Amino acid sequence: MQHPSLNIAIRAARSAGKLLIRYLDRVDLLKVESKSHNDFVSEIDRSAEAVIIQELRARYPDHAILAEESGAQGRGDWLWVIDPLDGTTNYLHGFPQFSVSIALLHKGRLECGVVYDPLREEMYTAARGQGAQLNDRRLRVASRPSLQGALIGTGFPFRNQRHIDAYLGMFKDMTMATAGLRRPGSAALDLAYVAAGRTDGFWEIGLAQWDCAAGALLVQEAGGTVTDLAGGKTYLETGNLVAGNLNVHQAMLELLRPHLNERLPA
Ligand code: IPD
Ligand code: CA
Ligand code: CA
């Protein structure tokens, strides 16, 4: 039986996705503001978020919410973590890679997650202990035994450039050890691709909870491993995240470890 909250999240993600598609060919008319260096928000991020919150609130008025554009609302054991448009920069350029990400946590533990790619109509879903799916298909991470021949996703530290040198070192070593790296521009979808076995692994530094909460559960429920850079469980707090099947994940941790320092501990 499908988790009831998952159905609500799927519906909310679909409504937000419809809105994103409706405005996609009018992006030049959108009002865009810069929140900080290289961090943009448009009317669409805000409207999509409002639609999601309205749908979740109608069903779960007592649940707390943490949403990228409107922040934290309410308190309690149940928390919805929402990124209404993951890949805003892509969206504003008409670059076709972006998603809606919604996760539900209970007392800090991931219960269910949805990542929706409205352009491809791909709905990735996961519920704790019940596996992960892409539309109606069960997902399984790739079975590659090592980094040799691996395709690895990543995200560049384009906002906070404090870790750029450490990151470039990681990038160099990862490029040399694998078949190639990809930087598609939506961390939530990057994680969904690991869950679907389209990439063998993914890492990024400095993500927000709403970028990676749903995607992390997708990877775990597809049989993969998700940790911070030191192999610990703090990835939702630090935003430093490594994901892959057990072997690839381990090999990635080993490759990344020499680049950790006092400024970038885990
Ligand atoms: C961003 C995307 C991007 C990642 C950034 C995120 P946004 O989210 O996920 O791939 O590299 O770290 O902040 O701002 O487009 O929702
Ligand atoms: Ca995001
Ligand atoms: Ca966003």
Side-chain angles (χ1 to χ4, degrees):
M1 202 196 64
Q2 188 145 296
H3 205 293
S5 326
L6 193 56
N7 286 329
I8 306 292
I10 290 170
R11 229 182 294 152
R14 218 171 249 131
S15 304
K18 246 189 231 157
L19 198 74
L20 298 180
I21 297 300
R22 194 172 330 133
Y23 285 89
L24 186 58
D25 55 3
R26 285 179 263 171
V27 280
D28 44 330
L29 301 176
L30 291 177
K31 249 191 273 148
V32 179
E33 287 163 42
S34 173
K35 292 192 275 190
S36 59
H37 178 65
N38 280 347
D39 194 359
F40 303 102
V41 58
S42 73
E43 297 160 71
I44 288 301
D45 298 68
R46 295 208 172 98
S47 314
E49 185 166 297
V51 164
I52 295 168
I53 292 177
Q54 195 185 15
E55 295 202 14
L56 299 179
R57 276 239 177 283
R59 180 70 171 74
Y60 298 109
D62 300 333
H63 287 186
I65 284 177
L66 173 65
E68 179 174 12
E69 311 306 342
S70 53
Q73 297 170 38
R75 280 164 172 270
D77 290 344
W78 294 92
L79 173 70
W80 291 96
V81 178
I82 303 164
D83 191 336
L85 169 51
D86 187 51
T88 296
T89 302
N90 282 348
Y91 185 86
L92 294 176
H93 287 260
F95 189 98
Q97 183 79 357
F98 50 84
S99 63
V100 179
S101 174
I102 303 175
L104 176 63
L105 285 81
H106 183 242
K107 296 186 176 174
R109 187 163 75 167
L110 286 162
E111 288 295 325
C112 62
V114 169
V115 175
Y116 181 46
D117 174 348
L119 277 172
R120 298 181 182 86
E121 295 187 18
E122 289 187 333
M123 182 71 74
Y124 300 85
T125 58
R128 189 170 56 80
Q130 292 176 29
Q133 292 191 306
L134 164 50
N135 296 335
D136 291 327
R137 183 164 64 82
R138 187 76 188 247
L139 294 181
R140 187 81 205 149
V141 291
S143 58
R144 189 173 299 280
S146 71
L147 287 180
Q148 206 185 345
L151 184 63
I152 302 292
T154 187
F156 303 143
F158 62 103
R159 278 182 201 131
N160 182 343
Q161 283 144 4
R162 215 153 56 98
H163 303 308
I164 192 74
D165 290 331
Y167 181 79
L168 289 176
M170 294 171 168
F171 186 87
K172 179 178 176 191
D173 288 354
M174 199 68 83
T175 301
M176 287 165 67
T178 61
L181 304 190
R182 296 291 181 269
R183 196 291 189 244
S186 163
L189 269 186
D190 294 342
L191 285 161
Y193 282 18
V194 175
R198 290 177 178 172
T199 52
D200 296 290
F202 168 77
W203 95 101
E204 187 161 344
I205 297 166
L207 290 167
Q209 270 196 40
W210 44 76
D211 299 319
C212 60
L217 187 64
L218 286 171
V219 173
Q220 288 160 357
E221 287 297 324
T225 306
V226 182
T227 67
D228 57 32
L229 297 172
K233 291 184 180 156
T234 70
Y235 56 92
L236 281 184
E237 290 96 69
T238 61
N240 301 334
L241 184 151
V242 184
N245 74 32
L246 199 59
N247 297 323
V248 167
H249 173 268
Q250 190 55 38
M252 288 177 78
L253 284 186
E254 280 164 29
L255 184 142
L256 298 173
R257 191 173 302 132
H259 302 284
L260 302 185
N261 55 44
E262 327 66 70
R263 294 179 86 188
L264 181 58

